[in-house]
Amino acid sequence: QVQLVESGGGLVQPGGSLRLSCTVSRSIISIYDMGWYRQAPGKQRELVARITRGGSTNYADSVKGRFTISRDNAKNTVSLQMNSLKPEDTAVYYCNAPTTTGVFHSWGQGTQVTVSS
């Protein structure tokens, strides 16, 4: 089983920054597109950032220009740099490998991001 471990969340004021990290248990990250998802209470889990095997990136409109996804295949990690954070960014953030209809792997525990004054 591939295990995904997210870290880096916390409490931050509006306008602040956080950097999230996702570590994959096996050295197979290079064969997948990877993405960051988030889920706020009462809302569906949404894909907010994706990075392809070739390094191309895509972002949800809600985070475009503020978030940056990157990957380090040698370290089996995917990162999400989050700047200019807003209260509406508050959610549990997860990483996974997107498919057309879902994800390849079991979900990890996620990491909580709370943006509040």
Side-chain angles (χ1 to χ4, degrees):
Q1 295 288 328
V2 172
Q3 292 183 310
L4 306 170
V5 181
E6 300 92 348
S7 62
L11 175 63
V12 65
Q13 292 184 323
S17 298
L18 285 172
R19 185 175 179 86
L20 307 183
S21 294
C22 168
T23 300
V24 183
S25 63
R26 299 182 183 181
S27 186
I28 46 79
I29 190 173
S30 64
I31 71 173
Y32 297 104
D33 290 6
M34 293 296 295
W36 280 96
Y37 301 74
R38 68 185 182 189
Q39 187 168 28
K43 296 185 177 181
Q44 293 181 300
R45 184 151 29 203
E46 63 172 336
L47 177 65
V48 298
R50 175 200 293 251
I51 185 165
T52 70
R53 290 164 290 176
S56 298
T57 58
N58 299 98
Y59 301 93
D61 288 342
S62 58
V63 308
K64 192 172 298 181
R66 301 187 297 118
F67 291 11
T68 303
I69 187 171
S70 60
R71 67 195 303 162
D72 187 335
N73 291 343
K75 296 182 178 180
N76 292 332
T77 59
V78 182
S79 298
L80 185 68
Q81 179 66 46
M82 305 186 296
N83 298 326
S84 302
L85 284 162
K86 304 175 180 179
E88 51 263 45
D89 295 319
T90 296
V92 179
Y93 284 72
Y94 304 85
C95 62
N96 218 309
T99 69
T100 302
T101 59
V103 295
F104 273 111
H105 311 303
S106 298
W107 295 104
Q109 297 280 34
T111 186
Q112 176 72 50
V113 172
T114 303
V115 185
S116 176
S117 299

